[in-house]
mmCIF file of all heavy atoms in Angstrom:
data_model
loop_
_atom_site.group_PDB
_atom_site.id
_atom_site.type_symbol
_atom_site.label_atom_id
_atom_site.label_comp_id
_atom_site.label_asym_id
_atom_site.label_seq_id
_atom_site.Cartn_x
_atom_site.Cartn_y
_atom_site.Cartn_z
ATOM 1 N N LEU B 18 -13.784 -10.688 -1.298
ATOM 2 C CA LEU B 18 -12.732 -10.804 -2.257
ATOM 3 C C LEU B 18 -11.436 -10.186 -1.745
ATOM 4 O O LEU B 18 -10.316 -10.751 -1.986
ATOM 5 C CB LEU B 18 -13.111 -10.072 -3.575
ATOM 6 C CG LEU B 18 -14.129 -10.853 -4.418
ATOM 7 C CD1 LEU B 18 -14.707 -9.894 -5.507
ATOM 8 C CD2 LEU B 18 -13.474 -12.056 -5.062
ATOM 9 N N LEU B 19 -11.528 -9.104 -0.994
ATOM 10 C CA LEU B 19 -10.369 -8.493 -0.422
ATOM 11 C C LEU B 19 -9.647 -9.480 0.535
ATOM 12 O O LEU B 19 -8.436 -9.581 0.539
ATOM 13 C CB LEU B 19 -10.809 -7.267 0.403
ATOM 14 C CG LEU B 19 -10.058 -6.011 0.410
ATOM 15 C CD1 LEU B 19 -9.562 -5.589 -0.970
ATOM 16 C CD2 LEU B 19 -10.875 -4.897 1.007
ATOM 17 N N ASP B 20 -10.419 -10.184 1.318
ATOM 18 C CA ASP B 20 -9.874 -11.180 2.259
ATOM 19 C C ASP B 20 -9.256 -12.324 1.490
ATOM 20 O O ASP B 20 -8.254 -12.933 1.892
ATOM 21 C CB ASP B 20 -10.898 -11.711 3.245
ATOM 22 C CG ASP B 20 -11.267 -10.627 4.223
ATOM 23 O OD1 ASP B 20 -10.480 -9.693 4.464
ATOM 24 O OD2 ASP B 20 -12.427 -10.697 4.776
ATOM 25 N N HIS B 21 -9.890 -12.728 0.451
ATOM 26 C CA HIS B 21 -9.522 -13.921 -0.236
ATOM 27 C C HIS B 21 -8.215 -13.754 -1.018
ATOM 28 O O HIS B 21 -7.257 -14.515 -0.900
ATOM 29 C CB HIS B 21 -10.597 -14.397 -1.215
ATOM 30 C CG HIS B 21 -10.948 -15.817 -1.014
ATOM 31 N ND1 HIS B 21 -11.806 -16.275 -0.054
ATOM 32 C CD2 HIS B 21 -10.549 -16.976 -1.635
ATOM 33 C CE1 HIS B 21 -11.929 -17.576 -0.119
ATOM 34 N NE2 HIS B 21 -11.165 -18.052 -1.048
ATOM 35 N N GLY B 22 -8.147 -12.686 -1.877
ATOM 36 C CA GLY B 22 -7.042 -12.603 -2.773
ATOM 37 C C GLY B 22 -6.354 -11.213 -2.792
ATOM 38 O O GLY B 22 -5.662 -10.935 -3.703
ATOM 39 N N GLY B 23 -6.646 -10.396 -1.738
ATOM 40 C CA GLY B 23 -6.071 -9.113 -1.710
ATOM 41 C C GLY B 23 -6.695 -8.093 -2.652
ATOM 42 O O GLY B 23 -7.673 -8.435 -3.326
ATOM 43 N N ALA B 24 -6.206 -6.933 -2.711
ATOM 44 C CA ALA B 24 -6.764 -5.841 -3.419
ATOM 45 C C ALA B 24 -6.927 -6.122 -4.930
ATOM 46 O O ALA B 24 -7.912 -5.739 -5.531
ATOM 47 C CB ALA B 24 -5.954 -4.543 -3.245
ATOM 48 N N GLU B 25 -5.971 -6.854 -5.499
ATOM 49 C CA GLU B 25 -6.053 -7.056 -6.968
ATOM 50 C C GLU B 25 -7.117 -8.118 -7.315
ATOM 51 O O GLU B 25 -7.401 -8.266 -8.504
ATOM 52 C CB GLU B 25 -4.654 -7.486 -7.486
ATOM 53 C CG GLU B 25 -4.360 -8.938 -7.449
ATOM 54 C CD GLU B 25 -3.212 -9.272 -6.488
ATOM 55 O OE1 GLU B 25 -2.697 -8.305 -5.815
ATOM 56 O OE2 GLU B 25 -2.736 -10.393 -6.545
ATOM 57 N N ALA B 26 -7.607 -8.839 -6.318
ATOM 58 C CA ALA B 26 -8.667 -9.799 -6.589
ATOM 59 C C ALA B 26 -10.033 -9.134 -6.748
ATOM 60 O O ALA B 26 -11.001 -9.790 -7.156
ATOM 61 C CB ALA B 26 -8.705 -10.877 -5.530
ATOM 62 N N VAL B 27 -10.127 -7.900 -6.261
ATOM 63 C CA VAL B 27 -11.391 -7.232 -6.283
ATOM 64 C C VAL B 27 -11.608 -6.564 -7.666
ATOM 65 O O VAL B 27 -11.073 -5.531 -8.001
ATOM 66 C CB VAL B 27 -11.483 -6.121 -5.248
ATOM 67 C CG1 VAL B 27 -12.866 -5.410 -5.235
ATOM 68 C CG2 VAL B 27 -11.147 -6.673 -3.830
ATOM 69 N N THR B 28 -12.363 -7.256 -8.526
ATOM 70 C CA THR B 28 -12.787 -6.703 -9.839
ATOM 71 C C THR B 28 -14.301 -6.538 -9.773
ATOM 72 O O THR B 28 -15.024 -7.300 -9.174
ATOM 73 C CB THR B 28 -12.389 -7.656 -10.922
ATOM 74 O OG1 THR B 28 -13.174 -8.825 -10.912
ATOM 75 C CG2 THR B 28 -10.938 -8.017 -10.907
ATOM 76 N N LEU B 29 -14.751 -5.492 -10.450
ATOM 77 C CA LEU B 29 -16.199 -5.241 -10.504
ATOM 78 C C LEU B 29 -16.971 -6.382 -11.072
ATOM 79 O O LEU B 29 -18.079 -6.701 -10.735
ATOM 80 C CB LEU B 29 -16.473 -3.941 -11.219
ATOM 81 C CG LEU B 29 -16.071 -2.648 -10.475
ATOM 82 C CD1 LEU B 29 -16.490 -1.452 -11.257
ATOM 83 C CD2 LEU B 29 -16.786 -2.650 -9.097
ATOM 84 N N ARG B 30 -16.276 -7.080 -12.029
ATOM 85 C CA ARG B 30 -16.955 -8.212 -12.646
ATOM 86 C C ARG B 30 -17.209 -9.315 -11.662
ATOM 87 O O ARG B 30 -18.259 -9.966 -11.656
ATOM 88 C CB ARG B 30 -16.135 -8.635 -13.856
ATOM 89 C CG ARG B 30 -16.165 -7.641 -15.020
ATOM 90 C CD ARG B 30 -15.113 -7.883 -16.061
ATOM 91 N NE ARG B 30 -15.596 -7.764 -17.409
ATOM 92 C CZ ARG B 30 -15.531 -6.626 -18.093
ATOM 93 N NH1 ARG B 30 -15.084 -5.516 -17.560
ATOM 94 N NH2 ARG B 30 -16.050 -6.590 -19.334
ATOM 95 N N GLU B 31 -16.151 -9.614 -10.880
ATOM 96 C CA GLU B 31 -16.351 -10.746 -9.826
ATOM 97 C C GLU B 31 -17.261 -10.255 -8.729
ATOM 98 O O GLU B 31 -17.999 -11.070 -8.212
ATOM 99 C CB GLU B 31 -14.962 -11.109 -9.326
ATOM 100 C CG GLU B 31 -14.964 -12.287 -8.372
ATOM 101 C CD GLU B 31 -15.484 -13.594 -8.972
ATOM 102 O OE1 GLU B 31 -15.357 -13.743 -10.226
ATOM 103 O OE2 GLU B 31 -16.116 -14.412 -8.288
ATOM 104 N N VAL B 32 -17.189 -9.022 -8.362
ATOM 105 C CA VAL B 32 -18.130 -8.494 -7.386
ATOM 106 C C VAL B 32 -19.510 -8.678 -7.821
ATOM 107 O O VAL B 32 -20.406 -9.103 -7.047
ATOM 108 C CB VAL B 32 -17.804 -6.978 -7.065
ATOM 109 C CG1 VAL B 32 -18.964 -6.328 -6.334
ATOM 110 C CG2 VAL B 32 -16.525 -6.827 -6.263
ATOM 111 N N GLY B 33 -19.816 -8.272 -9.043
ATOM 112 C CA GLY B 33 -21.148 -8.456 -9.604
ATOM 113 C C GLY B 33 -21.630 -9.877 -9.601
ATOM 114 O O GLY B 33 -22.697 -10.230 -9.180
ATOM 115 N N ARG B 34 -20.703 -10.747 -9.996
ATOM 116 C CA ARG B 34 -21.001 -12.161 -10.075
ATOM 117 C C ARG B 34 -21.408 -12.700 -8.705
ATOM 118 O O ARG B 34 -22.438 -13.397 -8.617
ATOM 119 C CB ARG B 34 -19.747 -12.939 -10.599
ATOM 120 C CG ARG B 34 -20.021 -14.205 -11.351
ATOM 121 C CD ARG B 34 -18.773 -14.706 -12.053
ATOM 122 N NE ARG B 34 -18.263 -13.844 -13.107
ATOM 123 C CZ ARG B 34 -17.037 -13.505 -13.351
ATOM 124 N NH1 ARG B 34 -16.072 -13.986 -12.588
ATOM 125 N NH2 ARG B 34 -16.725 -12.669 -14.338
ATOM 126 N N ARG B 35 -20.593 -12.347 -7.693
ATOM 127 C CA ARG B 35 -20.913 -12.854 -6.381
ATOM 128 C C ARG B 35 -22.215 -12.273 -5.786
ATOM 129 O O ARG B 35 -22.855 -12.832 -4.949
ATOM 130 C CB ARG B 35 -19.775 -12.548 -5.460
ATOM 131 C CG ARG B 35 -18.507 -13.269 -5.771
ATOM 132 C CD ARG B 35 -17.555 -13.361 -4.634
ATOM 133 N NE ARG B 35 -16.438 -14.149 -5.019
ATOM 134 C CZ ARG B 35 -15.716 -14.900 -4.173
ATOM 135 N NH1 ARG B 35 -16.021 -14.910 -2.846
ATOM 136 N NH2 ARG B 35 -14.676 -15.632 -4.535
#
Side-chain angles (χ1 to χ4, degrees):
Chain B
L18 285 166
L19 219 45
D20 289 337
H21 232 84
E25 87 243 7
V27 184
T28 69
L29 287 184
R30 289 165 138 91
E31 184 61 27
V32 164
R34 209 169 293 140
R35 297 202 174 208

